[in-house]
Amino acid sequence: MKRILIAVAVLAMSSFTASSQTKGTSMVGFGISSHKVKSDYVASDWQDSELKTNNFSLSYGVFVKDNSKIELTGTYGKSSQEYSSTNSYETKSYGGSLSYQHYYPLLKKFYAFAGGLGAYRYSKSEQVDGSARPTTYKGNLYGVGAYGGATYFLSNRFAFEAQLLSASFYYEKVNQGGPQTSTKRTSFDVSTSGAINDLSFKIYFMF
């Protein structure tokens, strides 16, 4: 009888710790990234500036098989930079990505993960100069990337995830004041944060 009870207890514990990454489990997650940089120049006040950046994401994922997840993410970002010389620069962006992610067990509830994604982002920027008409920039960015990090599955309902490394390739086209003036650029980036959406930490709810 004791052996049966022990076996049942072990099975129950293992199912509790493993159920959060099994096929069919859904995850809803959100991420927030915010920072503020203020620069003061002693020699010239007109160069003083303040940069504020906020990024948000909302995602839905499902485990298509044990420890393997497909996820769809929507993002919104806003940044503004103001100068003492009455100049300012503000950017708003909207985007989304589709990713595939695989988890590798490390120690108890700690997992490493690696994945890849395809992403799109639309941005609109406005530059205001006190002596001229505001200039508007509109951009479309397309990117693909690979990334990795670590996840802590607190229980079969909650998880905390941090992206630690990413490598991204993206193409962006920016129009200034209309289609007559445009800039195209491609870039390859290796970073210790989210290269495409600048979001490296997420909280997940599983069901």
Side-chain angles (χ1 to χ4, degrees):
M1 186 65 180
K2 288 184 178 180
R3 291 181 179 178
I4 295 176
L5 292 175
I6 292 173
V8 171
V10 171
L11 181 62
M13 290 179 65
S14 63
S15 64
F16 177 81
T17 56
S19 61
S20 57
Q21 298 93 255
T22 55
K23 181 179 179 180
T25 299
S26 296
M27 301 178 74
V28 175
F30 66 91
I32 299 174
S33 173
S34 178
H35 65 267
K36 179 179 177 180
V37 178
K38 187 174 183 179
S39 302
D40 296 317
Y41 293 86
V42 177
S44 177
D45 290 339
W46 73 268
Q47 291 181 327
D48 294 351
S49 65
E50 184 175 86
L51 173 65
K52 299 177 183 178
T53 302
N54 294 285
N55 292 290
F56 307 91
S57 74
L58 182 64
S59 58
Y60 172 77
V62 60
F63 282 87
V64 292
K65 59 181 180 179
D66 291 356
N67 292 324
S68 294
K69 178 186 67 175
I70 291 178
E71 183 172 288
L72 182 65
T73 300
T75 61
Y76 169 76
K78 181 180 180 180
S79 66
S80 61
Q81 188 164 16
E82 297 180 354
Y83 300 87
S84 298
S85 58
T86 70
N87 291 355
S88 65
Y89 194 88
E90 183 178 89
T91 300
K92 293 182 180 180
S93 63
Y94 310 85
S97 65
L98 180 64
S99 63
Y100 174 83
Q101 194 164 304
H102 187 78
Y103 293 87
Y104 304 90
L106 294 177
L107 178 64
K108 294 183 178 180
K109 298 179 181 181
F110 283 96
Y111 283 70
F113 67 83
L117 62 79
Y120 167 78
R121 185 181 69 199
Y122 168 80
S123 62
K124 183 178 180 180
S125 305
E126 186 174 76
Q127 183 176 4
V128 178
D129 188 332
S131 60
R133 182 181 299 178
T135 303
T136 301
Y137 303 86
K138 296 181 180 179
N140 292 280
L141 180 146
Y142 307 87
V144 293
Y147 58 91
T151 305
Y152 178 66
F153 289 92
L154 182 63
S155 69
N156 60 344
R157 290 292 178 265
F158 300 98
F160 301 95
E161 189 165 281
Q163 183 175 307
L164 304 176
L165 181 67
S166 67
S168 303
F169 175 83
Y170 52 88
Y171 166 81
E172 184 176 21
K173 182 178 180 181
V174 179
N175 293 326
Q176 176 184 343
Q180 67 275 10
T181 305
S182 65
T183 301
K184 300 177 183 179
R185 65 172 177 260
T186 58
S187 178
F188 178 76
D189 179 67
V190 177
S191 173
T192 55
S193 64
I196 292 179
N197 55 20
D198 196 28
L199 289 164
S200 56
F201 180 78
K202 287 184 178 180
I203 299 175
Y204 283 104
F205 301 90
M206 293 168 286
F207 53 93

